[in-house]
Structures are given as C-alpha cells and as structure tokens.
Amino acid sequence: MHNYSTTAAVAVHSDLLSLSHLRRQEFQGLLALSADLRSRNPFGQFLQGKSVALIFEKPSLRTRVTFEVAIRQLGGWPIMLGSAESRLGEREPIQDLARNLSCWVDGIVARVFSHHDLEDLALFASIPVINGLSNSEHPCQAVADLLTLMDVWPSWSGKEFVYVGDWNNVSRSLWHACSLAGLRFRAICPDKYGPSQAEPVEWSTKPSDVKGADAIYTDVWASMGQEDELEERLELFRPYQVNEKLIAKTGKHTVFMHCLPAHRGQEVTDSVIESDYSLVFQQAANRLPVEKAILVAVLGAGIQTEKAGAKRKNGGQL
Ligand code: CP
Ligand code: NVA
C-alpha cells in the first residue's frame, strides 16, 4: 500500500523547475499533500494575502486554469501577465522582470519556450518560481499523473509504466517522477526522437515492446514550438500510434494516459482515449489539487517549509 506522509512535503522549498531536484521523500510528500488538499472542504486559506504572477509564453488550458483556481481557492491572488509582457527577454531583460516581480508578488508560475530562460528567471527572482512547462520538463503534470496512478493502483509493486512516442518535456518529468516514486519506467521511441545518451533511461524502438505494460502513456508527436516539424514527424511516428491493437499487445489490463491536449488520430485514437481504461480526465482533474500542493510547498504558506529567502543562498534551486 502507498503510505506517504504529508509532513514530508515540508522539505520542498524554493523553486520547482525540475523533479530531478527533489528528494524521494519530498516528492512523496507532494503526492500526500495533494491528496490531503483534494479532500479538504473548506479548501484552507493557505495563500491568504499572497499574490502569484502567471507568465505564459505558450498557450495553456489545464495549467493556466488550475493554477488560477488553486490560488483563488487557497485565498491568494493570481496575476496573469498579458501576452506582450510574457515573452521572456523581449520587452526587458529577464533579470529586470524577475527583480521587479520579486518586489510585488510572492511567487511566479512560468510556462516558457526555453528552460534556460526559466533558470535565469529563478536565479534573479528572490521569490519561488514554478515550472508550468518548459521545452525540457513538465513537472506539475507528472505529479498529477502519479497521483492518478496512486488512485487506481494500491501499490507500485510489480507495475510497469511505459511511455510511447516522442521523448519530450512530459516524458522526461514522468521518468523523474517514476524514479522518485519507485515505479518501473520504460520508453518506446523512434530512434531519432529517443532520450539522449546523457539520460540513463531504459528504452527501445520497437512498438511491440509494450508487452507487459500496466500503463501506456503518450503525448503529441510535435510539441508546442515544433509545429513546423509535424509533417516529417507524422510518418516516422505512425507505428507508435496508441490504438486498440497496440493496447492489446500489452497482454495486460493496461490503463491509458495522456497529458492533453491530444491530437486524436495521430498519437492516439478516439477509441482509446474514450475507452473505460483511459485515465485522461482523472489526470486533468488531479492537476488542481497538485497545483495547490506545489503552491503550498514552495510558498511555505501555512504548512511549515523552508523560507523562500533560502533561495539566494543556494543559488535558487532545490
Ligand atoms: N497538460 C497540460 O499542461 O495542458 P495545457 O497545455 O492545456 O496547460
Ligand atoms: N509536449 C507537449 C505538452 C503539452 C502539455 C508540449 O510541450 O506541447
């Protein structure tokens, strides 16, 4: 049985840019805190008096809405920057933006094209920065995905999580999340679009390697910012489509997962995404309690955490 304690979340502090910066206990604490906050009614005013700036360089439905709702439900005040102010480094240098926001608000959620820009933002901000998706990671999504799996599997023991498709921000954070949770992770990707040599991921190129998978996860074949590569990717990725035939090859009562938005008919078929083994809407629902837990953990809002001020001393990262 999963036996995670909320108190472990107290160790999460400072920025959340990558799950690779978290210790196992911190990650498990985030899952426990998410489950705790999900069941609270009333919600708990953990962000009372706190303002959080939201910077989105790219479109978003789930991340933007769940962070806005989470901040409001916890008694805080979300401030969505307009598109003209949200392109990092365009209107003014990132360090100036970071230092200005640090004067007025208590935290920043940023969705960016370049992870390097996000690191700069975090370095120059004296307030916590949360990664709402970068080209390299999508940590908030991966926490929600593991919470979803905790809801359907009583333990990770003997379970195999298999990611199929493009090795990208979503898969990288899932890989970190599974490693922190102690869940076996494998990836199946086309040769040209697999993990880099620097990433010690167990992976292969054969779609039939889904055999034995208890969960199949996929994501779009061309992420935001790669739209002009879609045509050439379509053909290469076609054998990696998650359809009923591929699901049958698992030989298991597998569950299907996708972070959404999905391109139905490309990486996944309608019949799979709408099936009774699809968890996509539970994943989306879990984004809300997970954003709450992340906010409470990094802003140190009412549940004891290390002070955001510690950022300056350790260079701004967990
Ligand atoms: N899954 C996810 O992050 O969705 P959005 O791009 O709509 O935020
Ligand atoms: N990999 C996708 C995820 C969207 C939530 C992208 O970056 O566009």
Side-chain angles (χ1 to χ4, degrees):
M1 288 294 283
H2 301 290
N3 188 20
Y4 297 156
S5 147
T6 307
T7 52
V10 301
V12 177
H13 59 103
S14 194
D15 308 310
L16 182 60
L17 305 189
S18 164
L19 292 181
S20 64
H21 300 149
L22 263 63
R23 292 183 286 264
R24 190 169 270 231
Q25 254 208 326
E26 293 170 333
F27 179 74
Q28 297 181 348
L30 265 184
L31 289 174
L33 185 55
S34 304
D36 172 350
L37 293 170
R38 184 173 58 180
S39 64
R40 282 190 194 228
N41 184 13
F43 302 120
Q45 298 295 289
F46 297 110
L47 295 190
Q48 193 155 32
K50 305 228 181 214
S51 307
V52 181
L54 305 172
I55 301 175
F56 280 73
E57 287 193 304
K58 304 181 193 180
S60 171
L61 175 73
R62 281 145 290 269
T63 309
R64 178 189 165 171
V65 173
T66 53
F67 267 108
E68 282 209 42
V69 173
I71 294 162
R72 282 189 200 280
Q73 287 188 349
L74 295 177
W77 190 353
I79 299 165
M80 183 78 193
L81 271 66
S83 52
E85 299 82 31
S86 292
R87 294 304 301 261
L88 292 182
E90 255 185 39
R91 188 162 178 258
E92 57 189 308
I94 293 174
Q95 57 263 45
D96 291 354
L97 173 77
R99 283 181 293 187
N100 275 261
L101 286 175
S102 301
C103 301
W104 311 314
V105 300
D106 301 284
I108 301 171
V109 177
R111 168 166 289 197
V112 299
F113 281 98
S114 151
H115 193 79
H116 183 70
D117 285 353
L118 187 72
E119 287 173 336
D120 272 355
L121 186 69
L123 187 65
F124 288 100
S126 58
I127 52 175
V129 174
I130 298 168
N131 181 357
L133 181 145
S134 68
N135 58 329
S136 113
E137 299 235 13
H138 197 2
C140 306
Q141 178 68 52
V143 182
D145 295 336
L146 271 279
L147 180 65
T148 307
L149 283 175
M150 275 176 76
D151 292 339
V152 296
W153 294 342
S155 105
W156 307 129
S157 175
K159 298 290 189 194
E160 239 182 50
F161 182 100
V162 177
Y163 178 87
V164 180
D166 184 32
W167 184 254
N168 63 13
N169 44 11
V170 168
S171 56
R172 185 168 293 108
S173 289
L174 283 166
W175 169 50
H176 292 314
C178 288
S179 141
L180 288 162
L183 171 59
R184 183 170 174 209
F185 177 96
R186 290 193 285 122
I188 301 173
C189 315
D191 202 24
K192 190 173 162 198
Y193 295 102
S196 75
Q197 284 195 337
E199 296 175 300
V201 181
E202 182 185 346
W203 73 288
S204 63
T205 55
K206 281 208 326 257
S208 58
D209 286 343
V210 293
K211 189 168 166 43
D214 298 283
I216 296 279
Y217 197 118
T218 194
D219 186 17
V220 292
W221 291 337
S223 287
M224 290 180 276
Q226 298 173 330
E227 289 81 359
D228 55 354
E229 295 174 28
L230 182 62
E231 279 310 307
E232 78 173 73
R233 284 172 175 244
L234 278 179
E235 199 165 329
L236 198 61
F237 277 96
R238 190 67 67 197
Y240 298 82
Q241 182 188 65
V242 180
N243 49 36
E244 285 173 339
K245 224 168 127 190
L246 194 85
I247 294 283
K249 286 196 176 130
T250 64
K252 288 270 184 91
H253 289 294
T254 191
V255 293
F256 171 72
M257 304 179 79
H258 192 305
C259 57
L260 303 181
H263 293 161
R264 293 168 183 233
Q266 290 183 19
E267 76 273 6
V268 61
T269 55
D270 258 330
S271 61
V272 168
I273 210 164
E274 295 294 350
S275 67
D276 57 2
Y277 52 85
S278 167
L279 299 180
V280 299
F281 297 109
Q282 286 100 308
Q283 293 172 255
N286 277 329
R287 292 295 303 273
L288 181 59
V290 164
E291 317 306 28
K292 286 183 182 174
I294 290 171
L295 287 160
V296 166
V298 302
L299 268 69
I303 294 178
Q304 186 202 347
T305 65
E306 289 186 37
K307 289 274 186 302
K311 270 185 66 141
R312 286 199 199 86
K313 287 186 217 126
N314 68 10
Q317 305 265 324
L318 274 170

